[in-house]
């Protein structure tokens, strides 16, 4: 049986960072992945340019049942630490907006830098390698039955991510291991995911498919100012992806389509100054002509402004500033960027990521119940949690 100080299951963002940092500390590290390539989500991320961190990452950018859990790791490995690594490898990058850092060229630059670091630190890594069984070893640590044969690990790190995008290698393996060693798994669901629509909402979305509009999207006390995108099946775009993480089936989503103005004041002033202009024409000055025409058709009866009563103007303003609808559902794990829920962080050390139920077992990255907002926060969590565990494994 081959023996290692550390065996890490899952060669995604968190597993790679943990492997590099532990090996740099002189630990003998084995990194295993059942997929045919390491870091598949890194390659797909950020539309092919990997939004690898966010300069303004802080605990408030993460959703978790225990909001304090992420604080320690995030404070000890900051966006600037990862930016330092990116600079060391001379990977060109830029800030797109709101502190979101993207590669100038391609996501592969980030994966290549991580694999180079693995090589230099002496990490042994294998893909197409499954772990069939894990047991606690009598002499301490863990014994694993793998495609490589039996392996002994003093420390075992679970970095297998969440359930989103099974075609990129996602499995529920991390949750199974957690359960095996007595952990509670908080209910999982798709996050950062488009909404699907049915009925008249679906009709509107289909007709407006491809149209993007600045808005504030709100649900359950959270709100995000970003773009909304109408699609053939429903609603997407950053505003919708962000708010989807706070939505539960049956909840109403509220959209302000006029985030820069008071809708009623604007309509009243237009009525006073342009009484003969049609509502559709005025909307066409704020939205695209197509969107204005469709809103006028689906939501309002367009007529000259002077013909609206004060009550009707209020109704129109309400619809534009507080459009409320109930999504039919989400696109689910097939397209979700993250999995909400997961290994209950109340049973894991926030300092070391070590299980409080089974010494020597660690959980890092998305398998834990920590999910970032859209914008580079999820990778920052993967780097920070992988780094935290690597200090002690
Ligand atoms: P990750 O999922 O990256 O890695 C898990 C690894 O475990 C995989 O390599 C998988 O093959 C392996 N594995 C699974 N089961 C196994 C088993 N049984 N045995 C062995 N190995 C197993 N975030 C962000 O900050 N910026 C961005 O731009 C994007 N963009 C983005 C785009 C898309 C399309 C998606 C789906 C997601 C994003 N994200 C993102 C989210 C981000 O990719 C995600 O949060 C991190 O990759 C999570 O890192 P982990 O290492 O925890 O899991």
């Amino acid at each position: 049986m081959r023996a290692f100080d550390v065996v890490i299951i899952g060669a995604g963002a968190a597993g790679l960072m943990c492997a590099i940092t532990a090996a740099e500390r002189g630990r003998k590290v084995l990194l295993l992945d059942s997929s045919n390539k390491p870091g598949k989500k890194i390659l797909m991320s950020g539309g092919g340019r990997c939004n690898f961190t966010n300069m303004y990452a802080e605990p408030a950018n993460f959703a978790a049942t225990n909001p304090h859990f992420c604080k320690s790791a995030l404070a000890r490995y900051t966006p600037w630490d990862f930016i330092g690594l990116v600079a060391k490898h001379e990977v060109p990058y830029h800030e797109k907006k709101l502190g979101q850092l993207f590669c100038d060229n391609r996501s592969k630059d980030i994966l290549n830098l991580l694999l180079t670091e693995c090589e230099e630190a002496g990490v042994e890594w294998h893909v197409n390698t499954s772990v069939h069984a894990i047991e606690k070893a009598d002499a301490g640590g863990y014994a694993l039955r793998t495609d490589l044969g039996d392996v002994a690990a003093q420390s075992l790190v679970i970095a297998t991510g969440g359930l989103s995008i099974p075609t990129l290698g996602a499995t529920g393996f991390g949750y199974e291991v957690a359960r095996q060693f007595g952990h509670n798994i908080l209910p999982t669901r798709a996050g950062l995911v488009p909404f699907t629509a049915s009925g008249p909402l679906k009709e509107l979305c289909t007709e407006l498919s491809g149209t993007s509009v600045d808005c504030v999207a709100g649900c359950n006390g959270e709100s995000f100012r970003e773009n909304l995108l109408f699609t053939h099946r429903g609603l997407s775009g950053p505003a919708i992806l962000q708010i989807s993480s706070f939505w539960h089936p049956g909840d109403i989503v509220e959209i302000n389509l006029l985030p820069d103005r008071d809708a009623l004041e604007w309509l009243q002033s237009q009525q006073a100054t342009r009484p003969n202009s049609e509502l559709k024409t005025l909307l066409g000055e704020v939205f695209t002509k197509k969107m204005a025409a469709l809103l006028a058709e689906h939501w309002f009866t367009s007529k000259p402004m002077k013909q609206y009563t004060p009550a009707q103007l209020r109704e129109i303003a309400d619809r534009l500033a507080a459009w409320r609808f109930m999504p039919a559902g989400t696109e689910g794990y097939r397209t979700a960027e993250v999995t909400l829920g997961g290994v209950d962080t109340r049973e894991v050390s926030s300092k070391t990521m070590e299980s409080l139920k089974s010494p020597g077992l660690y959980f890092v990255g998305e398998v834990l119940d920590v999910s970032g907002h859209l914008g580079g926060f999820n990778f920052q969590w993967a780097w920070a949690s992988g780094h935290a565990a690597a200090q002690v494994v």
Side-chain angles (χ1 to χ4, degrees), residues 9-15 32-35 41 44-46 51 159-161 165 169 171 173 336-338 364-366 376-379 382:
I9 308 179
L32 303 176
D33 202 294
S34 53
S35 200
K41 280 196 189 160
M44 288 292 291
S45 65
N51 178 194
T160 45
I165 320 219
T171 71
F173 184 79
E337 281 200 16
V338 287
V364 297
E366 202 181 309
F377 303 106
N378 283 298
F379 279 136

PDB file of all heavy atoms in Angstrom, residues 9-15 32-35 41 44-46 51 159-161 165 169 171 173 336-338 364-366 376-379 382, ligand 1:
ATOM      1  N   ILE A   9      -9.163  14.400  -2.791  1.00  0.00           N
ATOM      2  CA  ILE A   9     -10.067  13.873  -3.829  1.00  0.00           C
ATOM      3  C   ILE A   9     -10.771  15.069  -4.485  1.00  0.00           C
ATOM      4  O   ILE A   9     -11.501  15.806  -3.817  1.00  0.00           O
ATOM      5  CB  ILE A   9     -11.094  12.891  -3.250  1.00  0.00           C
ATOM      6  CG1 ILE A   9     -10.384  11.804  -2.419  1.00  0.00           C
ATOM      7  CG2 ILE A   9     -11.909  12.252  -4.367  1.00  0.00           C
ATOM      8  CD1 ILE A   9     -11.319  10.785  -1.790  1.00  0.00           C
ATOM      9  N   GLY A  10     -10.521  15.257  -5.782  1.00  0.00           N
ATOM     10  CA  GLY A  10     -11.106  16.371  -6.527  1.00  0.00           C
ATOM     11  C   GLY A  10     -10.037  17.369  -6.924  1.00  0.00           C
ATOM     12  O   GLY A  10      -9.497  18.082  -6.078  1.00  0.00           O
ATOM     13  N   ALA A  11      -9.723  17.396  -8.239  1.00  0.00           N
ATOM     14  CA  ALA A  11      -8.681  18.331  -8.726  1.00  0.00           C
ATOM     15  C   ALA A  11      -9.332  19.524  -9.412  1.00  0.00           C
ATOM     16  O   ALA A  11      -9.050  19.852 -10.567  1.00  0.00           O
ATOM     17  CB  ALA A  11      -7.724  17.605  -9.679  1.00  0.00           C
ATOM     18  N   GLY A  12     -10.260  20.172  -8.695  1.00  0.00           N
ATOM     19  CA  GLY A  12     -10.830  21.440  -9.149  1.00  0.00           C
ATOM     20  C   GLY A  12     -10.045  22.573  -8.485  1.00  0.00           C
ATOM     21  O   GLY A  12      -8.913  22.373  -7.999  1.00  0.00           O
ATOM     22  N   ALA A  13     -10.665  23.733  -8.428  1.00  0.00           N
ATOM     23  CA  ALA A  13      -9.983  24.915  -7.901  1.00  0.00           C
ATOM     24  C   ALA A  13      -9.487  24.703  -6.458  1.00  0.00           C
ATOM     25  O   ALA A  13      -8.319  24.956  -6.141  1.00  0.00           O
ATOM     26  CB  ALA A  13     -10.935  26.105  -7.963  1.00  0.00           C
ATOM     27  N   ALA A  14     -10.376  24.209  -5.591  1.00  0.00           N
ATOM     28  CA  ALA A  14     -10.012  24.065  -4.179  1.00  0.00           C
ATOM     29  C   ALA A  14      -8.974  22.961  -3.981  1.00  0.00           C
ATOM     30  O   ALA A  14      -8.006  23.134  -3.216  1.00  0.00           O
ATOM     31  CB  ALA A  14     -11.265  23.762  -3.350  1.00  0.00           C
ATOM     32  N   GLY A  15      -9.166  21.824  -4.681  1.00  0.00           N
ATOM     33  CA  GLY A  15      -8.229  20.708  -4.530  1.00  0.00           C
ATOM     34  C   GLY A  15      -6.838  21.067  -5.038  1.00  0.00           C
ATOM     35  O   GLY A  15      -5.825  20.717  -4.405  1.00  0.00           O
ATOM     36  N   LEU A  32      -6.330  13.214  -6.639  1.00  0.00           N
ATOM     37  CA  LEU A  32      -7.054  12.290  -7.526  1.00  0.00           C
ATOM     38  C   LEU A  32      -8.320  12.931  -8.084  1.00  0.00           C
ATOM     39  O   LEU A  32      -9.022  13.656  -7.365  1.00  0.00           O
ATOM     40  CB  LEU A  32      -7.482  11.042  -6.733  1.00  0.00           C
ATOM     41  CG  LEU A  32      -6.381  10.244  -6.042  1.00  0.00           C
ATOM     42  CD1 LEU A  32      -7.009   9.101  -5.234  1.00  0.00           C
ATOM     43  CD2 LEU A  32      -5.390   9.696  -7.072  1.00  0.00           C
ATOM     44  N   ASP A  33      -8.630  12.653  -9.343  1.00  0.00           N
ATOM     45  CA  ASP A  33      -9.887  13.138  -9.919  1.00  0.00           C
ATOM     46  C   ASP A  33     -10.473  12.050 -10.815  1.00  0.00           C
ATOM     47  O   ASP A  33      -9.741  11.407 -11.575  1.00  0.00           O
ATOM     48  CB  ASP A  33      -9.662  14.419 -10.724  1.00  0.00           C
ATOM     49  CG  ASP A  33     -10.953  15.227 -10.869  1.00  0.00           C
ATOM     50  OD1 ASP A  33     -11.895  14.740 -11.533  1.00  0.00           O
ATOM     51  OD2 ASP A  33     -11.020  16.331 -10.292  1.00  0.00           O
ATOM     52  N   SER A  34     -11.784  11.875 -10.697  1.00  0.00           N
ATOM     53  CA  SER A  34     -12.429  10.823 -11.492  1.00  0.00           C
ATOM     54  C   SER A  34     -12.680  11.266 -12.932  1.00  0.00           C
ATOM     55  O   SER A  34     -12.955  10.451 -13.797  1.00  0.00           O
ATOM     56  CB  SER A  34     -13.755  10.406 -10.838  1.00  0.00           C
ATOM     57  OG  SER A  34     -14.554  11.543 -10.619  1.00  0.00           O
ATOM     58  N   SER A  35     -12.585  12.556 -13.171  1.00  0.00           N
ATOM     59  CA  SER A  35     -12.828  13.090 -14.509  1.00  0.00           C
ATOM     60  C   SER A  35     -11.583  12.889 -15.384  1.00  0.00           C
ATOM     61  O   SER A  35     -10.534  12.496 -14.889  1.00  0.00           O
ATOM     62  CB  SER A  35     -13.132  14.576 -14.335  1.00  0.00           C
ATOM     63  OG  SER A  35     -13.790  15.061 -15.435  1.00  0.00           O
ATOM     64  N   LYS A  41     -14.037  23.069 -14.535  1.00  0.00           N
ATOM     65  CA  LYS A  41     -14.877  24.264 -14.334  1.00  0.00           C
ATOM     66  C   LYS A  41     -14.055  25.534 -14.487  1.00  0.00           C
ATOM     67  O   LYS A  41     -14.568  26.565 -14.902  1.00  0.00           O
ATOM     68  CB  LYS A  41     -15.552  24.225 -12.964  1.00  0.00           C
ATOM     69  CG  LYS A  41     -16.755  23.342 -12.974  1.00  0.00           C
ATOM     70  CD  LYS A  41     -17.649  23.558 -11.794  1.00  0.00           C
ATOM     71  CE  LYS A  41     -18.697  22.474 -11.808  1.00  0.00           C
ATOM     72  NZ  LYS A  41     -19.312  22.314 -10.484  1.00  0.00           N
ATOM     73  N   MET A  44     -14.133  26.300 -18.109  1.00  0.00           N
ATOM     74  CA  MET A  44     -15.434  26.783 -18.613  1.00  0.00           C
ATOM     75  C   MET A  44     -15.809  28.148 -18.031  1.00  0.00           C
ATOM     76  O   MET A  44     -16.749  28.779 -18.503  1.00  0.00           O
ATOM     77  CB  MET A  44     -16.535  25.803 -18.161  1.00  0.00           C
ATOM     78  CG  MET A  44     -16.529  24.494 -18.868  1.00  0.00           C
ATOM     79  SD  MET A  44     -16.981  24.700 -20.576  1.00  0.00           S
ATOM     80  CE  MET A  44     -18.714  25.138 -20.418  1.00  0.00           C
ATOM     81  N   SER A  45     -15.107  28.554 -16.997  1.00  0.00           N
ATOM     82  CA  SER A  45     -15.594  29.681 -16.195  1.00  0.00           C
ATOM     83  C   SER A  45     -15.450  31.021 -16.910  1.00  0.00           C
ATOM     84  O   SER A  45     -14.641  31.173 -17.827  1.00  0.00           O
ATOM     85  CB  SER A  45     -14.832  29.732 -14.876  1.00  0.00           C
ATOM     86  OG  SER A  45     -13.481  30.021 -15.132  1.00  0.00           O
ATOM     87  N   GLY A  46     -16.264  31.960 -16.432  1.00  0.00           N
ATOM     88  CA  GLY A  46     -16.163  33.353 -16.905  1.00  0.00           C
ATOM     89  C   GLY A  46     -16.265  33.464 -18.417  1.00  0.00           C
ATOM     90  O   GLY A  46     -15.562  34.278 -19.018  1.00  0.00           O
ATOM     91  N   ASN A  51     -13.245  34.325 -14.353  1.00  0.00           N
ATOM     92  CA  ASN A  51     -13.314  35.426 -13.380  1.00  0.00           C
ATOM     93  C   ASN A  51     -12.734  34.862 -12.079  1.00  0.00           C
ATOM     94  O   ASN A  51     -13.436  34.359 -11.231  1.00  0.00           O
ATOM     95  CB  ASN A  51     -14.792  35.834 -13.228  1.00  0.00           C
ATOM     96  CG  ASN A  51     -15.035  36.925 -12.227  1.00  0.00           C
ATOM     97  OD1 ASN A  51     -16.159  37.158 -11.821  1.00  0.00           O
ATOM     98  ND2 ASN A  51     -13.991  37.607 -11.802  1.00  0.00           N
ATOM     99  N   ALA A 159     -12.528  17.490  -1.882  1.00  0.00           N
ATOM    100  CA  ALA A 159     -12.612  18.728  -2.685  1.00  0.00           C
ATOM    101  C   ALA A 159     -13.400  18.437  -3.950  1.00  0.00           C
ATOM    102  O   ALA A 159     -13.026  18.892  -5.043  1.00  0.00           O
ATOM    103  CB  ALA A 159     -11.203  19.217  -3.015  1.00  0.00           C
ATOM    104  N   THR A 160     -14.484  17.687  -3.804  1.00  0.00           N
ATOM    105  CA  THR A 160     -15.209  17.194  -4.986  1.00  0.00           C
ATOM    106  C   THR A 160     -16.306  18.142  -5.461  1.00  0.00           C
ATOM    107  O   THR A 160     -17.048  17.799  -6.378  1.00  0.00           O
ATOM    108  CB  THR A 160     -15.817  15.803  -4.699  1.00  0.00           C
ATOM    109  OG1 THR A 160     -16.432  15.843  -3.415  1.00  0.00           O
ATOM    110  CG2 THR A 160     -14.767  14.732  -4.721  1.00  0.00           C
ATOM    111  N   GLY A 161     -16.418  19.358  -4.872  1.00  0.00           N
ATOM    112  CA  GLY A 161     -17.358  20.352  -5.374  1.00  0.00           C
ATOM    113  C   GLY A 161     -18.808  19.978  -5.135  1.00  0.00           C
ATOM    114  O   GLY A 161     -19.127  19.094  -4.335  1.00  0.00           O
ATOM    115  N   ILE A 165     -23.597  21.058 -12.988  1.00  0.00           N
ATOM    116  CA  ILE A 165     -23.062  20.631 -14.286  1.00  0.00           C
ATOM    117  C   ILE A 165     -22.396  19.253 -14.213  1.00  0.00           C
ATOM    118  O   ILE A 165     -21.170  19.116 -14.255  1.00  0.00           O
ATOM    119  CB  ILE A 165     -22.127  21.690 -14.918  1.00  0.00           C
ATOM    120  CG1 ILE A 165     -22.696  23.104 -14.700  1.00  0.00           C
ATOM    121  CG2 ILE A 165     -21.908  21.344 -16.375  1.00  0.00           C
ATOM    122  CD1 ILE A 165     -22.558  24.065 -15.819  1.00  0.00           C
ATOM    123  N   GLY A 169     -18.165  16.830 -14.615  1.00  0.00           N
ATOM    124  CA  GLY A 169     -17.560  15.949 -13.612  1.00  0.00           C
ATOM    125  C   GLY A 169     -18.193  16.019 -12.230  1.00  0.00           C
ATOM    126  O   GLY A 169     -17.713  15.360 -11.306  1.00  0.00           O
ATOM    127  N   THR A 171     -20.303  15.259  -9.071  1.00  0.00           N
ATOM    128  CA  THR A 171     -20.949  14.073  -8.489  1.00  0.00           C
ATOM    129  C   THR A 171     -21.323  14.392  -7.041  1.00  0.00           C
ATOM    130  O   THR A 171     -20.850  15.386  -6.487  1.00  0.00           O
ATOM    131  CB  THR A 171     -20.001  12.852  -8.459  1.00  0.00           C
ATOM    132  OG1 THR A 171     -18.996  13.097  -7.454  1.00  0.00           O
ATOM    133  CG2 THR A 171     -19.330  12.589  -9.781  1.00  0.00           C
ATOM    134  N   PHE A 173     -20.343  12.690  -4.609  1.00  0.00           N
ATOM    135  CA  PHE A 173     -19.416  11.864  -3.835  1.00  0.00           C
ATOM    136  C   PHE A 173     -19.027  12.509  -2.495  1.00  0.00           C
ATOM    137  O   PHE A 173     -18.964  11.836  -1.458  1.00  0.00           O
ATOM    138  CB  PHE A 173     -18.154  11.609  -4.675  1.00  0.00           C
ATOM    139  CG  PHE A 173     -17.169  10.699  -4.028  1.00  0.00           C
ATOM    140  CD1 PHE A 173     -17.342   9.325  -4.039  1.00  0.00           C
ATOM    141  CD2 PHE A 173     -16.041  11.211  -3.392  1.00  0.00           C
ATOM    142  CE1 PHE A 173     -16.418   8.480  -3.436  1.00  0.00           C
ATOM    143  CE2 PHE A 173     -15.117  10.380  -2.785  1.00  0.00           C
ATOM    144  CZ  PHE A 173     -15.303   9.007  -2.805  1.00  0.00           C
ATOM    145  N   ALA A 336     -26.509  25.437 -13.651  1.00  0.00           N
ATOM    146  CA  ALA A 336     -26.218  26.268 -12.465  1.00  0.00           C
ATOM    147  C   ALA A 336     -24.712  26.438 -12.268  1.00  0.00           C
ATOM    148  O   ALA A 336     -23.944  25.503 -12.458  1.00  0.00           O
ATOM    149  CB  ALA A 336     -26.818  25.613 -11.227  1.00  0.00           C
ATOM    150  N   GLU A 337     -24.307  27.649 -11.871  1.00  0.00           N
ATOM    151  CA  GLU A 337     -22.874  27.866 -11.604  1.00  0.00           C
ATOM    152  C   GLU A 337     -22.455  27.344 -10.244  1.00  0.00           C
ATOM    153  O   GLU A 337     -21.281  27.062 -10.028  1.00  0.00           O
ATOM    154  CB  GLU A 337     -22.526  29.357 -11.713  1.00  0.00           C
ATOM    155  CG  GLU A 337     -22.385  29.787 -13.148  1.00  0.00           C
ATOM    156  CD  GLU A 337     -21.586  31.062 -13.321  1.00  0.00           C
ATOM    157  OE1 GLU A 337     -20.889  31.478 -12.386  1.00  0.00           O
ATOM    158  OE2 GLU A 337     -21.680  31.625 -14.419  1.00  0.00           O
ATOM    159  N   VAL A 338     -23.388  27.260  -9.318  1.00  0.00           N
ATOM    160  CA  VAL A 338     -23.023  26.721  -7.995  1.00  0.00           C
ATOM    161  C   VAL A 338     -24.134  25.856  -7.412  1.00  0.00           C
ATOM    162  O   VAL A 338     -25.270  25.893  -7.882  1.00  0.00           O
ATOM    163  CB  VAL A 338     -22.730  27.816  -6.936  1.00  0.00           C
ATOM    164  CG1 VAL A 338     -21.427  28.511  -7.176  1.00  0.00           C
ATOM    165  CG2 VAL A 338     -23.880  28.777  -6.791  1.00  0.00           C
ATOM    166  N   VAL A 364     -13.129  21.113   1.576  1.00  0.00           N
ATOM    167  CA  VAL A 364     -12.780  22.442   1.054  1.00  0.00           C
ATOM    168  C   VAL A 364     -13.615  22.742  -0.201  1.00  0.00           C
ATOM    169  O   VAL A 364     -14.040  21.828  -0.905  1.00  0.00           O
ATOM    170  CB  VAL A 364     -11.269  22.556   0.723  1.00  0.00           C
ATOM    171  CG1 VAL A 364     -10.419  22.398   1.965  1.00  0.00           C
ATOM    172  CG2 VAL A 364     -10.841  21.545  -0.344  1.00  0.00           C
ATOM    173  N   GLY A 365     -13.827  24.030  -0.461  1.00  0.00           N
ATOM    174  CA  GLY A 365     -14.507  24.465  -1.679  1.00  0.00           C
ATOM    175  C   GLY A 365     -16.019  24.336  -1.604  1.00  0.00           C
ATOM    176  O   GLY A 365     -16.631  24.425  -0.534  1.00  0.00           O
ATOM    177  N   GLU A 366     -16.602  24.069  -2.756  1.00  0.00           N
ATOM    178  CA  GLU A 366     -18.055  24.153  -2.905  1.00  0.00           C
ATOM    179  C   GLU A 366     -18.823  23.017  -2.239  1.00  0.00           C
ATOM    180  O   GLU A 366     -20.039  23.109  -2.060  1.00  0.00           O
ATOM    181  CB  GLU A 366     -18.356  24.176  -4.408  1.00  0.00           C
ATOM    182  CG  GLU A 366     -19.689  24.771  -4.741  1.00  0.00           C
ATOM    183  CD  GLU A 366     -19.954  24.746  -6.245  1.00  0.00           C
ATOM    184  OE1 GLU A 366     -19.081  25.215  -7.005  1.00  0.00           O
ATOM    185  OE2 GLU A 366     -21.017  24.256  -6.641  1.00  0.00           O
ATOM    186  N   GLY A 376     -16.660  36.140  -9.232  1.00  0.00           N
ATOM    187  CA  GLY A 376     -15.312  35.734  -8.827  1.00  0.00           C
ATOM    188  C   GLY A 376     -15.225  35.275  -7.383  1.00  0.00           C
ATOM    189  O   GLY A 376     -14.165  34.848  -6.912  1.00  0.00           O
ATOM    190  N   PHE A 377     -16.335  35.365  -6.653  1.00  0.00           N
ATOM    191  CA  PHE A 377     -16.318  35.027  -5.226  1.00  0.00           C
ATOM    192  C   PHE A 377     -16.203  33.519  -4.989  1.00  0.00           C
ATOM    193  O   PHE A 377     -15.609  33.086  -4.008  1.00  0.00           O
ATOM    194  CB  PHE A 377     -17.577  35.569  -4.542  1.00  0.00           C
ATOM    195  CG  PHE A 377     -17.725  37.058  -4.705  1.00  0.00           C
ATOM    196  CD1 PHE A 377     -18.668  37.596  -5.563  1.00  0.00           C
ATOM    197  CD2 PHE A 377     -16.893  37.929  -4.024  1.00  0.00           C
ATOM    198  CE1 PHE A 377     -18.795  38.962  -5.734  1.00  0.00           C
ATOM    199  CE2 PHE A 377     -17.000  39.302  -4.180  1.00  0.00           C
ATOM    200  CZ  PHE A 377     -17.954  39.823  -5.045  1.00  0.00           C
ATOM    201  N   ASN A 378     -16.778  32.722  -5.884  1.00  0.00           N
ATOM    202  CA  ASN A 378     -16.724  31.267  -5.655  1.00  0.00           C
ATOM    203  C   ASN A 378     -15.310  30.725  -5.809  1.00  0.00           C
ATOM    204  O   ASN A 378     -14.886  29.857  -5.039  1.00  0.00           O
ATOM    205  CB  ASN A 378     -17.735  30.556  -6.549  1.00  0.00           C
ATOM    206  CG  ASN A 378     -19.132  30.727  -5.984  1.00  0.00           C
ATOM    207  OD1 ASN A 378     -19.407  30.289  -4.877  1.00  0.00           O
ATOM    208  ND2 ASN A 378     -19.983  31.437  -6.705  1.00  0.00           N
ATOM    209  N   PHE A 379     -14.580  31.254  -6.794  1.00  0.00           N
ATOM    210  CA  PHE A 379     -13.178  30.821  -6.883  1.00  0.00           C
ATOM    211  C   PHE A 379     -12.391  31.320  -5.668  1.00  0.00           C
ATOM    212  O   PHE A 379     -11.552  30.597  -5.145  1.00  0.00           O
ATOM    213  CB  PHE A 379     -12.527  31.299  -8.182  1.00  0.00           C
ATOM    214  CG  PHE A 379     -12.858  30.409  -9.353  1.00  0.00           C
ATOM    215  CD1 PHE A 379     -13.213  30.946 -10.587  1.00  0.00           C
ATOM    216  CD2 PHE A 379     -12.837  29.022  -9.229  1.00  0.00           C
ATOM    217  CE1 PHE A 379     -13.537  30.122 -11.662  1.00  0.00           C
ATOM    218  CE2 PHE A 379     -13.161  28.190 -10.300  1.00  0.00           C
ATOM    219  CZ  PHE A 379     -13.502  28.747 -11.506  1.00  0.00           C
ATOM    220  N   ALA A 382     -12.849  28.904  -3.054  1.00  0.00           N
ATOM    221  CA  ALA A 382     -12.114  27.661  -3.331  1.00  0.00           C
ATOM    222  C   ALA A 382     -10.632  27.860  -2.979  1.00  0.00           C
ATOM    223  O   ALA A 382     -10.028  27.014  -2.295  1.00  0.00           O
ATOM    224  CB  ALA A 382     -12.272  27.269  -4.801  1.00  0.00           C
TER     225      ALA A 382
HETATM  226  P1  LIG B   1     -14.941  21.934  -8.634  1.00  0.00           P
HETATM  227  O1  LIG B   1     -16.296  21.565  -9.106  1.00  0.00           O
HETATM  228  O2  LIG B   1     -14.204  22.998  -9.343  1.00  0.00           O
HETATM  229  O3  LIG B   1     -13.987  20.659  -8.608  1.00  0.00           O
HETATM  230  C1  LIG B   1     -14.432  19.419  -8.122  1.00  0.00           C
HETATM  231  C2  LIG B   1     -13.569  18.351  -8.745  1.00  0.00           C
HETATM  232  O4  LIG B   1     -13.886  17.099  -8.140  1.00  0.00           O
HETATM  233  C3  LIG B   1     -13.811  18.184 -10.234  1.00  0.00           C
HETATM  234  O5  LIG B   1     -12.587  18.220 -10.921  1.00  0.00           O
HETATM  235  C4  LIG B   1     -14.509  16.837 -10.356  1.00  0.00           C
HETATM  236  O6  LIG B   1     -14.178  16.151 -11.552  1.00  0.00           O
HETATM  237  C5  LIG B   1     -13.948  16.120  -9.135  1.00  0.00           C
HETATM  238  N1  LIG B   1     -14.802  15.049  -8.648  1.00  0.00           N
HETATM  239  C6  LIG B   1     -16.138  15.037  -8.493  1.00  0.00           C
HETATM  240  N2  LIG B   1     -16.519  13.833  -8.025  1.00  0.00           N
HETATM  241  C7  LIG B   1     -15.411  13.077  -7.875  1.00  0.00           C
HETATM  242  C8  LIG B   1     -15.181  11.759  -7.424  1.00  0.00           C
HETATM  243  N3  LIG B   1     -16.169  10.965  -7.058  1.00  0.00           N
HETATM  244  N4  LIG B   1     -13.899  11.314  -7.389  1.00  0.00           N
HETATM  245  C9  LIG B   1     -12.871  12.095  -7.784  1.00  0.00           C
HETATM  246  N5  LIG B   1     -13.037  13.345  -8.223  1.00  0.00           N
HETATM  247  C10 LIG B   1     -14.303  13.849  -8.270  1.00  0.00           C
HETATM  248  N6  LIG B   1     -16.810  30.965 -10.092  1.00  0.00           N
HETATM  249  C11 LIG B   1     -16.096  32.112 -10.098  1.00  0.00           C
HETATM  250  O7  LIG B   1     -15.637  32.536  -9.055  1.00  0.00           O
HETATM  251  N7  LIG B   1     -15.847  32.770 -11.281  1.00  0.00           N
HETATM  252  C12 LIG B   1     -16.315  32.324 -12.481  1.00  0.00           C
HETATM  253  O8  LIG B   1     -16.027  32.904 -13.539  1.00  0.00           O
HETATM  254  C13 LIG B   1     -17.111  31.147 -12.486  1.00  0.00           C
HETATM  255  N8  LIG B   1     -17.655  30.663 -13.643  1.00  0.00           N
HETATM  256  C14 LIG B   1     -18.333  29.478 -13.639  1.00  0.00           C
HETATM  257  C15 LIG B   1     -18.854  28.980 -14.840  1.00  0.00           C
HETATM  258  C16 LIG B   1     -19.517  27.764 -14.857  1.00  0.00           C
HETATM  259  C17 LIG B   1     -20.081  27.246 -16.146  1.00  0.00           C
HETATM  260  C18 LIG B   1     -19.665  27.031 -13.646  1.00  0.00           C
HETATM  261  C19 LIG B   1     -20.357  25.703 -13.637  1.00  0.00           C
HETATM  262  C20 LIG B   1     -19.170  27.528 -12.457  1.00  0.00           C
HETATM  263  C21 LIG B   1     -18.517  28.761 -12.429  1.00  0.00           C
HETATM  264  N9  LIG B   1     -18.019  29.293 -11.246  1.00  0.00           N
HETATM  265  C22 LIG B   1     -17.307  30.463 -11.261  1.00  0.00           C
HETATM  266  C23 LIG B   1     -18.131  28.547  -9.979  1.00  0.00           C
HETATM  267  C24 LIG B   1     -16.812  27.795  -9.705  1.00  0.00           C
HETATM  268  O9  LIG B   1     -16.434  27.120 -10.886  1.00  0.00           O
HETATM  269  C25 LIG B   1     -16.951  26.804  -8.564  1.00  0.00           C
HETATM  270  O10 LIG B   1     -17.525  27.421  -7.438  1.00  0.00           O
HETATM  271  C26 LIG B   1     -15.587  26.227  -8.197  1.00  0.00           C
HETATM  272  O11 LIG B   1     -15.061  25.558  -9.318  1.00  0.00           O
HETATM  273  C27 LIG B   1     -15.681  25.274  -7.018  1.00  0.00           C
HETATM  274  O12 LIG B   1     -14.423  24.707  -6.822  1.00  0.00           O
HETATM  275  P2  LIG B   1     -14.264  23.260  -6.163  1.00  0.00           P
HETATM  276  O13 LIG B   1     -12.832  22.925  -6.314  1.00  0.00           O
HETATM  277  O14 LIG B   1     -14.894  23.242  -4.845  1.00  0.00           O
HETATM  278  O15 LIG B   1     -15.131  22.307  -7.091  1.00  0.00           O
END
